[in-house]
Amino acid sequence: MSKIKGIIFDKDGTLFNFQKTWGFWIEDFLASIFHTYPTIDKNLLHKLAELLGYSIESHCFHPDSIVLADTPECAVRKIIPVLPMCSTRQLLMLSEKASERVNPVQMVPLKAVLPKFIAMDIVLGIVTNDSENSAVKHIEYCGVSNFFKHIIGYDSGFGSKPDPDICLAFCSKSGLQPESVLMVGDSLHDMQAGRSAGMNTVGVLSGLTTEDILEPLSDVILPDISHLPDWLIARRG
């Protein structure tokens, strides 16, 4: 493994607690659909939640939820067949507005962890299947935007994970070679994107994906990103 000069973080499930952050989003998003289209049968609520992999009763996402790793466009395409009165464009707008209203819950104290990477002279970035605008707002809300050199979303013009181009965009912007970059994430999409881009991959168990799924495409599995600085120091010798 080359000397690490850059780290790409996934956002949700890696930097932010997925259940606590996106549980608010999905309930807000679904409520906004019924508010915008008042003629929709209210009995569709549970069907929509089921399609998105969310339990209304327990307020929890299922491990195979499409929201976990895919883009907002994928989530909208999942529910549009049962909402023929809605347009994809408007549903995406409602999804984005709900995302912007989210107050993200940090997985670990980011202001305590991120400076450790900066002290190692490592360039930090975020590559997310959320929108770039939402990602920027969430990072600004936590007061840590100054730690990240680049924030890239699915709508930034470089595709989305698991395709590698969105990760390679970070390298291009940073002037770094892929082999000197870590892709850190909690989902299989993260690991696939990083590995396909020629990067080292770190799986974290802070999301909903289990170790047995992450392990085949991960160079190392850690409980969460707070363990990453010590791992980097140890491998530097």
Side-chain angles (χ1 to χ4, degrees), residues 8 127 158 160-172 176-183 189-201 217 219:
I8 299 173
V127 166
F158 307 102
S160 59
K161 298 175 288 186
D163 294 332
D165 288 353
I166 192 169
C167 293
L168 292 172
F170 170 83
C171 294
S172 178
L176 300 175
Q177 295 301 311
E179 59 268 22
S180 69
V181 175
L182 287 182
M183 174 68 226
H189 275 18
D190 298 324
M191 300 300 97
Q192 289 171 330
R195 186 62 62 89
S196 296
M199 298 174 175
N200 300 291
T201 53
L217 291 177
D219 293 303

Side-chain angles (χ1 to χ4, degrees), residues 57-118:
E57 289 77 16
S58 62
H59 303 284
C60 286
F61 284 94
H62 304 307
D64 61 350
S65 168
I66 192 171
V67 179
L68 175 62
D70 279 301
T71 67
E73 287 184 359
C74 291
V76 166
R77 286 199 297 269
K78 188 78 172 179
I79 63 174
I80 197 71
V82 298
L83 295 171
M85 70 294 294
C86 303
S87 70
T88 299
R89 181 175 176 274
Q90 187 155 31
L91 287 179
L92 277 172
M93 182 187 71
L94 293 176
S95 169
E96 178 69 11
K97 293 297 184 184
S99 179
E100 291 176 6
R101 288 191 290 268
V102 165
N103 292 333
V105 177
Q106 298 178 46
M107 185 57 66
V108 299
L110 296 178
K111 286 184 178 180
V113 175
L114 296 177
K116 297 180 180 180
F117 303 115
I118 303 302

Side-chain angles (χ1 to χ4, degrees), residues 138-216:
H138 295 168
I139 294 302
E140 288 178 344
Y141 174 83
C142 295
V144 294
S145 57
N146 58 306
F147 293 110
F148 295 99
K149 189 74 171 177
H150 306 291
I151 297 177
I152 305 172
Y154 85 97
D155 56 353
S156 299
F158 307 102
S160 59
K161 298 175 288 186
D163 294 332
D165 288 353
I166 192 169
C167 293
L168 292 172
F170 170 83
C171 294
S172 178
K173 289 173 176 288
S174 304
L176 300 175
Q177 295 301 311
E179 59 268 22
S180 69
V181 175
L182 287 182
M183 174 68 226
V184 182
D186 69 299
S187 77
L188 189 58
H189 275 18
D190 298 324
M191 300 300 97
Q192 289 171 330
R195 186 62 62 89
S196 296
M199 298 174 175
N200 300 291
T201 53
V202 176
V204 289
L205 300 177
S206 47
L208 303 183
T209 307
T210 55
E211 183 172 1
D212 61 304
I213 293 176
L214 293 174
E215 193 275 333

